[in-house]
Amino acid sequence: AQRVTQPEKLLSVFKGAPVELKCNYSYSGSPELFWYVQYSRQRLQLLLRHISRESIKGFTADLNKGETSFHLKKPFAQEEDSAMYYCAPNTNAGKSTFGDGTTLTVKP
Amino acid sequence: DTGVSQNPRHKITKRGQNVTFRCDPISEHNRLYWYRQTLGQGPEFLTYFQNEAQLEKSRLLSDRFSAERPKGSFSTLEIQRTEQGDSAMYLCASSLADPNQFFGPGTRLTVL
C-alpha cells in the first residue's frame, strides 16, 4: 500500500534556527515527490518538487531513494515560514497521496 | 482567471439530505481532482478527471458519492443521503498534464 509518513505533527523552532521536516514514503514505482504548504487562511499551494532541484523560499529537499525519504530543510527559519507542510508523492497519473502534515511554528 | 474556485465555501446540512458542490478549475487545465480532508489529516484522494473522463475513483468514494465533469470544464461532486461522517473539507485541484496541482479554497461541509 502507498503510504506517506510525516512523523512530527508539530515542530517549533526559534527564528534563525535550522529546521528539518521529515517525510518517509512507501510507494510502488518511481513517484515524483512534492512538498505543499498551507499558510494561515490560505489555500494549499506547491512549495517545491524534487525534479526541479530548486531552493524555494530558502527551502530544499533531497530525495533519498535508499531510505525512501524526502526531508524538507531550511538553514535559517523565518517567522513567515510558520505554516502547515505536507509531503506528497505523486504517480504518473497525477494522483497525490498526502501525509498528515507538520505544523511548523517559528518563534521570534 | 483567479485560480481554482469552489462553491459554496461552507455548507451545513441535516443528515439524510443531498448536497452538491461545484469546482471551476483554471481554464486551460485538463485534469481535475477531488480530495477530502478531515481535521488533523492530509487531503485524501477521491477521484480524478482528465477532460470529461473520470479516470480513477478511490474506494473511499462510496455509492452515495458521484462526481461529474460533463464538458471537461467545471465539475460537481454530489453526496446523497449525507451522514455525519461526511463532515469534512472537500478540496478541488486542477492541473495540466503535469503533477503540479493548483488547489481551490475548499468547501467545508457540516452534517448535523
Side-chain angles (χ1 to χ4, degrees):
Chain A
Q2 296 162 341
R3 184 178 296 175
V4 183
T5 303
Q6 294 182 245
E8 304 119 339
K9 273 281 193 192
L10 303 170
L11 187 60
S12 181
V13 300
F14 284 102
K15 176 182 173 182
V19 63
E20 181 180 48
L21 292 86
K22 293 184 169 59
C23 172
N24 292 90
Y25 65 94
S26 172
Y27 229 77
S28 58
S30 298
E32 184 172 357
L33 275 296
F34 292 76
W35 277 96
Y36 284 84
V37 61
Q38 188 165 24
Y39 300 102
S40 179
R41 297 189 182 88
Q42 295 187 26
R43 61 186 69 187
L44 198 57
Q45 59 185 285
L46 176 70
L47 178 62
L48 56 78
R49 57 197 294 183
H50 87 269
I51 63 167
S52 64
R53 298 186 178 274
E54 291 176 312
S55 173
I56 305 293
K57 299 185 179 183
F59 284 96
T60 59
D62 292 322
L63 177 60
N64 186 321
K65 290 186 178 180
E67 296 180 359
T68 59
S69 68
F70 188 54
H71 303 327
L72 183 68
K73 300 176 184 179
K74 185 168 182 176
F76 307 104
Q78 302 300 312
E79 289 180 69
E80 56 266 27
D81 296 328
S82 296
M84 175 74 91
Y85 291 81
Y86 294 96
C87 178
N90 187 289
T91 65
N92 291 334
K95 181 181 85 173
S96 287
T97 300
F98 285 81
D100 285 339
T102 297
T103 300
L104 173 65
T105 301
V106 181
K107 297 179 285 188
Chain B
D1 191 348
T2 55
V4 178
S5 62
Q6 292 185 245
N7 287 287
R9 294 292 305 277
H10 303 273
K11 178 70 177 178
I12 300 173
T13 191
K14 292 183 179 179
R15 186 164 50 94
Q17 297 295 306
N18 299 343
V19 294
T20 300
F21 310 140
R22 177 177 168 127
C23 171
D24 286 89
I26 293 172
S27 57
E28 62 269 26
H29 286 184
N30 58 348
R31 292 184 177 180
L32 187 147
Y33 312 81
W34 285 99
Y35 293 86
R36 180 174 66 187
Q37 186 174 23
T38 52
L39 198 61
Q41 296 190 336
E44 294 176 295
F45 172 79
L46 293 179
T47 190
Y48 149 58
F49 291 85
Q50 179 148 319
N51 299 313
E52 65 274 10
Q54 188 173 18
L55 296 188
E56 189 171 348
K57 290 171 59 173
S58 165
R59 56 189 165 79
L60 292 175
L61 212 65
S62 76
D63 56 4
R64 296 185 298 106
F65 287 71
S66 62
E68 294 182 340
R69 194 183 183 197
K71 296 182 180 178
S73 56
F74 73 91
S75 175
T76 57
L77 177 69
E78 181 183 16
I79 310 174
Q80 295 183 324
R81 305 181 303 281
T82 52
E83 302 172 357
Q84 288 185 324
D86 297 331
S87 295
M89 178 74 87
Y90 289 84
L91 295 170
C92 175
S94 70
S95 75
L96 295 167
D98 179 86
N100 179 11
Q101 297 174 29
F102 292 79
F103 281 82
T107 294
R108 182 170 296 283
L109 173 66
T110 301
V111 181
L112 302 175

